[in-house]
Amino acid sequence: MKYRAEIDGLRALAVVPVILFHAGFELFSGGFAGVDVFFVISGYLITTILIEDIENKRFSLVNFYERRARRILPALFFVMLVCIPFAWMWSFNQQYKEFSQSLVAVSLFASNILFWRKTDYFSTATDEKPMLHTWSLAVEEQYYVLFPIFLILAWRFGKNRVFWMIVVMAAMSLLLSEWGWRKQTTANFYLAPTRAWELFAGSIAAFMVRKQGVQKNNLLALLGLAAIVFSIFFYDETTPFPSVYALVPVLGVVLLVLYADKETFASKLLSTKVFVGVGLISYSAYLWHQPLLAFARWRNYGNDLTTNMSTWLILMNLVLAILTYQFIETPIRKKTFLSSRKAIFTFSILGFALFISVGLSGHFYYQPGHQKHPSFIQSIVLSDDYEADNYYLIAESWELQKQVNGIEFFGVDNVAKDRELLFPETSNRGNLLVVGNSHSVDFFNVLSFSEIISSNFNLARFGVQIKNVDDEFYSSPNYQAADVVVLCSLMGDEDLNVLLMVSEQIINDGKRLIICENIFTWMERSNYTKLDRLIIEGSLQNLDIHQLSDDINEEYTRAFQALSFVSADRKSTYIRMKNLLEDMSLKLDFTVIDRMTYVCFDGTCEIVSPTLGKYFFDMGHHTLLGAEYFSEILDTSGIADEIISRYSNE
């Protein structure tokens, strides 16, 4: 295949915006489109190579996979190997477990599937996953495995028909992505079927170049370049991707491939030494950038990276990319090292075996409830009551739910155990059913620790978003047996839209109803929350822990009173719920419990104990310590007595 310098330059135009986007430079708000540029380039190059080999009757699947192994695996294995000790030293339990899972997934060309499946409520924040970027490699690897087989099998029908088969498949994939971003956003982003059309766009371009060569058209080439640049600077995270919006950068690459003859301005620009040089190291640069940024966020206690920090990390990324390209990529690709086919395949198999073994050991060794702290956290002198690992606290808070209801950790909804009768068949106490999402677990824990409530009620929980309450819930044995139903969720607008209807149904069924107001959600979901950063930063300044505790609680109190530290949408929903409940009270007989009453009892909010024990682990979720503490306030404030007086069977 004839070398085209502008293609390497195009790689630079792809990788730099991706890195800057992930580093947090807002100017490059659409830098993620660089991945789509890579997909088109890969589709073009691989299809060109395959067509040439097939037409010249030298196609060999083994040879093809050998070239791909030399191109992809050495640098990838090196980056993964370097990441392991840093992940071990600097991670919490859940972080290391998820990192271990990613090692296995990368080795099986399935990391896109893993990250699709693991982007759940309780997983690590995406920008703190060192191997997250390998999802795009997995998509390409899946293409490399399947596309050559398709091409060689379909070639018997003729080159022209193969071309149109690819066009049809590309159109179907594009239509699927249009459906996907509306219905299955995460799957649409990560999975190959909705990304395939971008690779196929490159394949289509390869067929066209093979037939008519690269044409010279300054206008179309510049239009292609402008389309890519436009998407980088004018798209942002609200832009659905992939979708028809991705046609802009994708068609931009296709125009450059077809019309950027070496005499065009676009080709000359992309063929300059700077663009080509960055393009040559683009693969290594892409591999290094995400681990560097993720580990930096770990070490920065979850704080956003400053511009200076991001700049230094980008420079470090550049150095590592040059070294990796020079001493790992190039020697192995040119067969200076691992020169034989047997050697590269043996190296690949041993590498896969190593990372799968390390990954599986990390996955099975660390379970919910185990503790593992980063080395730099252990070196900070803090109160013994402070627990930095929020995922440990999550698991601990769900342990009570597991003991009572028998569910596995993090069973927010669709739990089979919810369909079994959890209340005793005969009892002198009333049956109280807590209904909702993860916030229902928080309130369930508070009620369980309450001596007044637990001595008067049998407790159970049914996990369901209020918007999803349906006949299955109403016919469930726990609902049928319940005397009191407590709706306790962090309700969004869709939940509020049906709250009146659900409440009417519960009351019409003869149940007594309690509705919890949304709790104020101050902290973000991360390995380190704002609360953690306040504690750590105060400890590093050697502040007295009791004074630090008072300062943190006072700051939270001010935030709650002003409804600050929350998004405008969440604040709007919070206010809407209060207004809705006031309107509903004119029509229905139910009790409202404002959970902030016990969090901010006597006007002072408490989210941390005097010895820095955390009462919350993230966006307003109680730790088990918090649930136990708040239950005491529930009992002493009269809230529990009010529930008993209105709803107890005694």
Side-chain angles (χ1 to χ4, degrees):
M1 183 178 69
K2 183 179 179 181
Y3 175 69
R4 296 181 61 180
E6 68 272 13
I7 298 298
D8 275 330
L10 194 54
R11 284 195 176 105
L13 190 60
V15 75
V16 171
V18 170
I19 294 173
L20 293 174
F21 169 74
H22 287 152
F25 288 90
E26 295 181 1
L27 179 62
F28 296 84
S29 60
F32 55 84
V35 173
D36 306 84
V37 173
F38 273 126
F39 283 154
V40 183
I41 294 173
S42 294
Y44 167 70
L45 294 176
I46 293 305
T47 305
T48 299
I49 292 170
L50 291 172
I51 292 174
E52 288 183 357
D53 285 352
I54 292 173
E55 289 186 335
N56 293 320
K57 302 188 184 304
R58 61 170 184 260
F59 174 78
S60 166
L61 203 57
V62 175
N63 287 342
F64 175 80
Y65 291 148
E66 179 189 352
R67 291 197 298 268
R68 290 298 91 202
R70 291 185 181 278
R71 178 72 177 94
I72 295 172
L73 299 183
L76 176 62
F77 284 175
F78 179 61
V79 172
M80 292 167 68
L81 189 64
V82 172
C83 285
I84 290 173
F86 289 99
W88 171 261
M89 291 186 297
W90 291 353
S91 66
F92 288 115
N93 171 19
Q94 181 72 11
Q95 282 177 306
Y96 190 76
K97 182 173 182 177
E98 292 184 6
F99 172 78
S100 299
Q101 292 169 343
S102 70
L103 293 180
V104 177
V106 171
S107 302
L108 298 176
F109 306 152
S111 57
N112 61 328
I113 298 173
L114 172 71
F115 294 123
W116 161 52
R117 298 296 298 171
K118 290 297 291 184
T119 50
D120 56 49
Y121 187 86
F122 292 105
S123 66
T124 305
T126 55
D127 59 1
E128 296 177 14
K129 296 177 186 286
M131 294 286 106
L132 178 68
H133 61 322
T134 60
W135 73 266
S136 61
L137 295 183
V139 172
E140 292 200 7
E141 288 159 349
Q142 291 156 15
Y143 170 79
Y144 296 153
V145 169
L146 298 175
F147 187 71
I149 298 172
F150 157 77
L151 205 61
I152 195 66
L153 292 176
W155 204 259
R156 70 187 69 179
F157 299 110
K159 185 176 179 180
N160 189 55
R161 290 183 178 177
V162 172
F163 171 80
W164 287 109
M165 288 180 193
I166 295 173
V167 170
V168 171
M169 290 190 296
M172 292 172 62
S173 174
L174 174 59
L175 291 174
L176 183 62
S177 72
E178 269 297 292
W179 175 86
W181 76 260
R182 293 176 172 87
K183 301 295 184 180
Q184 298 288 337
T185 306
T186 306
N188 181 62
F189 183 86
Y190 284 113
L191 300 186
T194 52
R195 291 284 184 174
W197 69 271
E198 299 173 332
L199 289 150
F200 288 149
S203 299
I204 293 167
F207 274 87
M208 296 175 69
V209 169
R210 186 70 179 168
K211 181 177 181 179
Q212 62 189 27
V214 180
Q215 303 295 300
K216 178 182 177 181
N217 192 313
N218 262 307
L219 179 61
L220 291 178
L222 281 173
L223 180 62
L225 188 61
I228 297 171
V229 172
F230 173 84
S231 63
I232 291 169
F233 291 107
F234 289 94
Y235 284 178
D236 58 33
E237 290 177 293
T238 65
T239 307
F241 249 67
S243 66
V244 292
Y245 287 94
L247 280 170
V248 175
V250 167
L251 292 180
V253 179
V254 170
L255 288 175
L256 285 168
V257 168
L258 295 178
Y259 298 108
D261 176 84
K262 62 182 180 179
E263 298 300 324
T264 61
F265 173 79
S267 178
K268 290 178 179 179
L269 176 64
L270 293 173
S271 299
T272 57
K273 289 184 178 180
V274 172
F275 274 95
V276 172
V278 174
L280 289 173
I281 64 170
S282 61
Y283 177 57
S284 288
Y286 184 77
L287 288 178
W288 280 114
H289 87 280
Q290 179 65 20
L292 286 172
L293 293 170
F295 288 141
R297 291 184 174 103
W298 289 11
R299 285 295 276 110
N300 202 35
Y301 313 115
N303 282 308
D304 292 333
L305 301 178
T306 65
T307 301
N308 285 339
M309 292 174 64
S310 295
T311 301
W312 278 109
L313 289 168
I314 290 170
L315 292 175
M316 185 185 300
N317 181 59
L318 179 63
V319 172
L320 289 172
I322 292 172
L323 294 174
T324 305
Y325 175 77
Q326 185 70 32
F327 296 106
I328 295 177
E329 280 196 73
T330 301
I332 295 178
R333 287 177 66 187
K334 292 184 175 180
K335 300 187 178 181
T336 304
F337 184 61
L338 297 177
S339 57
S340 69
R341 178 182 297 167
K342 180 180 179 181
I344 189 62
F345 283 156
T346 301
F347 166 81
S348 302
I349 293 170
L350 291 177
F352 289 142
L354 170 66
F355 293 116
I356 289 173
S357 298
V358 173
L360 289 176
S361 66
H363 168 75
F364 287 112
Y365 182 74
Y366 291 108
Q367 299 297 327
H370 287 190
Q371 285 177 294
K372 176 184 180 299
H373 291 99
S375 56
F376 52 88
I377 286 292
Q378 294 174 346
S379 65
I380 299 173
V381 179
L382 299 170
S383 164
D384 290 338
D385 290 337
Y386 171 63
E387 172 57 61
D389 188 353
N390 288 307
Y391 290 94
Y392 171 79
L393 294 175
I394 293 172
E396 185 183 53
S397 73
W398 281 76
E399 181 62 28
L400 181 59
Q401 180 73 32
K402 184 178 182 180
Q403 291 174 4
V404 175
N405 283 20
I407 67 170
E408 294 302 318
F409 292 112
F410 315 148
V412 176
D413 52 18
N414 298 317
V415 177
K417 197 74 175 177
D418 287 344
R419 279 70 182 172
E420 302 175 15
L421 181 63
L422 301 173
F423 293 120
E425 293 186 8
T426 57
S427 174
N428 293 326
R429 296 183 295 180
N431 292 333
L432 187 150
L433 181 65
V434 185
V435 179
N437 55 22
S438 55
H439 287 264
S440 68
V441 176
D442 292 344
F443 196 56
F444 179 92
N445 289 348
V446 173
L447 296 176
S448 297
F449 280 120
S450 165
E451 293 184 6
I452 294 175
I453 297 297
S454 60
S455 62
N456 283 272
F457 285 106
N458 304 306
L459 300 175
R461 171 186 170 268
F462 191 103
V464 63
Q465 300 287 345
I466 304 304
K467 65 182 180 180
N468 295 328
V469 168
D470 56 14
D471 290 341
E472 184 179 6
F473 165 72
Y474 294 125
S475 62
S476 65
N478 291 309
Y479 176 76
Q480 293 291 324
D483 300 301
V484 181
V485 175
V486 181
L487 300 180
C488 192
S489 272
L490 186 65
M491 298 192 197
D493 287 333
E494 290 183 275
D495 301 300
L496 297 180
N497 289 340
V498 301
L499 183 59
L500 175 59
M501 179 181 66
V502 171
S503 300
E504 288 176 333
Q505 179 69 52
I506 293 171
I507 292 172
N508 289 338
D509 288 340
K511 316 292 183 184
R512 285 158 288 184
L513 176 64
I514 299 173
I515 301 178
C516 294
E517 289 188 5
N518 280 356
I519 198 166
F520 175 60
T521 55
W522 179 42
M523 294 159 285
E524 75 277 16
R525 177 175 57 86
S526 174
N527 291 287
Y528 299 99
T529 65
K530 182 176 177 68
L531 174 56
D532 291 298
R533 289 191 285 273
L534 290 171
I535 293 173
I536 292 170
E537 290 164 5
S539 298
L540 289 172
Q541 297 171 22
N542 296 317
L543 298 181
D544 176 77
I545 61 172
H546 298 293
Q547 183 60 52
L548 179 57
S549 170
D550 289 342
D551 291 345
I552 291 172
N553 288 333
E554 287 175 9
E555 180 166 352
Y556 180 86
T557 301
R558 289 192 297 270
F560 169 60
Q561 290 172 346
L563 290 185
S564 58
F565 299 127
V566 295
S567 66
D569 289 345
R570 182 155 290 170
K571 183 185 293 186
S572 173
T573 302
Y574 187 85
I575 295 172
R576 181 190 170 196
M577 181 174 198
K578 283 185 170 293
N579 293 335
L580 175 63
L581 291 177
E582 185 176 343
D583 291 341
M584 287 173 55
S585 66
L586 302 176
K587 306 174 185 178
L588 303 175
D589 181 20
F590 63 94
T591 296
V592 174
I593 292 182
D594 183 355
R595 293 167 62 201
M596 294 307 299
T597 300
Y598 61 71
V599 175
C600 301
F601 186 61
D602 282 344
T604 301
C605 303
E606 295 189 66
I607 63 167
V608 62
S609 76
T611 52
L612 303 180
K614 295 191 300 190
Y615 294 155
F616 290 85
F617 58 74
D618 70 352
M619 303 166 51
H621 285 298
H622 307 327
T623 61
L624 206 59
L625 177 68
E628 189 169 8
Y629 176 73
F630 293 138
S631 73
E632 295 175 6
I633 297 177
L634 201 73
D635 286 347
T636 58
S637 66
I639 298 175
D641 288 328
E642 181 183 355
I643 295 173
I644 295 303
S645 65
R646 290 203 60 183
Y647 298 113
S648 175
N649 285 341
E650 297 180 358

